[in-house]
Amino acid sequence: QDRLLNALRRSKAPVGVFLMKGIRLQGVIAGFDNFSVQLRRGGTSQLVYKHAISTIAPGEWPAEVSLDELGGG
């Protein structure tokens, strides 16, 4: 989890974050810790608790993270 989030943060790739309630957030991962993810979009930031996240869908996968490593390839 941390490896993917860190790769997405470094690449500044846009991501879609789907919450457990079905809400979709979009932005760039600006940071994260053990409990939360900070999304930034258009000069505003949102703090999202990890337990509320269902899915993170990157626009494109960072080169340093393979789907095989994540169990999806």
Side-chain angles (χ1 to χ4, degrees), residues 26-72:
Q26 292 180 294
V28 173
I29 294 177
F32 65 93
D33 62 19
N34 288 337
F35 303 103
S36 62
V37 175
Q38 181 186 13
L39 282 178
R40 187 167 291 143
R41 180 177 178 181
T44 62
S45 289
Q46 291 180 299
L47 184 67
V48 182
Y49 288 104
K50 285 182 176 179
H51 72 265
I53 296 174
S54 164
T55 307
I56 296 176
E60 58 184 59
W61 285 94
E64 67 261 32
V65 177
S66 74
L67 290 177
D68 290 332
E69 291 179 59
L70 300 173

